[in-house]
Amino acid sequence: QPLRNPVQDARAMAESLRALGFEVIKRENLGLGQMERVIREFGDQLKERKGVGLFYYAGHGVQVEGENYLIPVGARLEREDEVKDQAVNAGLVLRKMESARNGTNIVILDACRDNPFRSYWRSERKGLATMDAPTGTFISYSTAPGRVAGDGAGKNGVYTGYLLREMRTAGAPIEQVFKKVREQVAEKTGGKQVPWEATSL
């Protein structure tokens, strides 16, 4: 089930991050092997260059047995037990960040759209599961654990749209930036979507 906004969200996020001084690796519409390779590339560069590591993902994500998985383009998941072989465990990103030993990391998952495969599955779990934030890590979800985020009707998804605006605020503490995003998304969606953070900064 194609989503309308993730590619636009990724392009806008890449542009904004470059403007803020980040070196950006941007990829769109990847298959499983491509996703794994680019996460490895990201981890290797982070380990070599240190600094602040930031991983942003927009697209489909599902939880299986308390683990979060990012769904590649072309995945055919007719059974829940196929996810581990056909999707990328989001924990891989955290492990790459941990092994880089760079001090500060940010993970942003705009990946809580409704599970497009749920009609085939017996499980009724929605959204993503909470992940523990390793030391020095800030994890942001576009909606609360177990809840679903909308794709958005505008140029960008609701969550990413507000994040793109708030992240440009010079000197704002990261917690304040994401608090403002949470308040605006909750108001915009009438409380149906409330972004969530886990932090060990």
Side-chain angles (χ1 to χ4, degrees):
Q1 178 183 341
L3 294 167
R4 196 171 64 86
N5 280 323
V7 168
Q8 296 176 151
D9 289 343
R11 290 173 180 173
M13 184 61 67
E15 183 180 336
S16 293
L17 289 171
R18 286 194 184 102
L20 292 169
F22 281 86
E23 180 178 345
V24 176
I25 301 170
K26 178 177 69 71
R27 300 289 186 272
E28 302 171 6
N29 296 320
L30 301 185
L32 175 59
Q34 295 170 313
M35 286 180 71
E36 292 171 337
R37 283 193 295 274
V38 77
I39 291 171
R40 184 182 302 118
E41 177 188 356
F42 167 71
D44 290 347
Q45 289 197 20
L46 193 57
K47 193 170 187 176
E48 178 184 342
R49 301 175 191 183
K50 306 301 181 183
V52 174
L54 189 152
F55 179 89
Y56 170 87
Y57 175 84
H60 278 304
V62 299
Q63 63 162 303
V64 175
E65 297 178 358
E67 301 268 348
N68 294 322
Y69 292 86
L70 312 181
I71 307 299
V73 168
R76 296 289 181 266
L77 302 173
E78 296 188 7
R79 304 289 185 274
E80 188 170 358
D81 59 14
E82 297 168 359
V83 173
K84 294 181 181 181
D85 295 323
Q86 295 193 45
V88 175
N89 192 317
L92 174 62
V93 177
L94 296 179
R95 291 194 296 274
K96 290 295 183 184
M97 288 176 154
E98 275 192 291
S99 65
R101 301 185 183 278
N102 62 309
T104 302
N105 294 297
I106 302 165
V107 176
I108 302 170
L109 298 177
D110 192 355
C112 307
R113 278 83 170 179
D114 203 4
N115 180 354
F117 309 104
R118 202 151 48 89
S119 61
Y120 297 110
W121 298 1
R122 298 175 67 181
S123 172
E124 288 299 314
R125 287 188 292 271
K126 294 183 178 181
L128 298 181
T130 303
M131 296 188 296
D132 291 331
T135 301
T137 305
F138 185 97
I139 304 174
S140 179
Y141 306 86
S142 58
T143 194
R147 300 294 297 273
V148 174
D151 193 25
K155 180 180 178 182
N156 297 111
V158 176
Y159 170 78
T160 292
Y162 284 117
L163 179 56
L164 288 166
R165 184 168 69 185
E166 292 301 328
M167 64 190 278
R168 295 187 178 97
T169 305
I174 187 171
E175 292 85 359
Q176 186 64 31
V177 169
F178 283 90
K179 179 180 179 182
K180 286 189 174 183
V181 172
R182 180 166 63 251
E183 291 171 345
Q184 291 172 97
V185 171
E187 181 178 357
K188 177 73 173 180
T189 63
K192 293 179 181 178
Q193 181 177 338
V194 181
W196 191 268
E197 295 87 44
T199 179
S200 64
L201 289 180

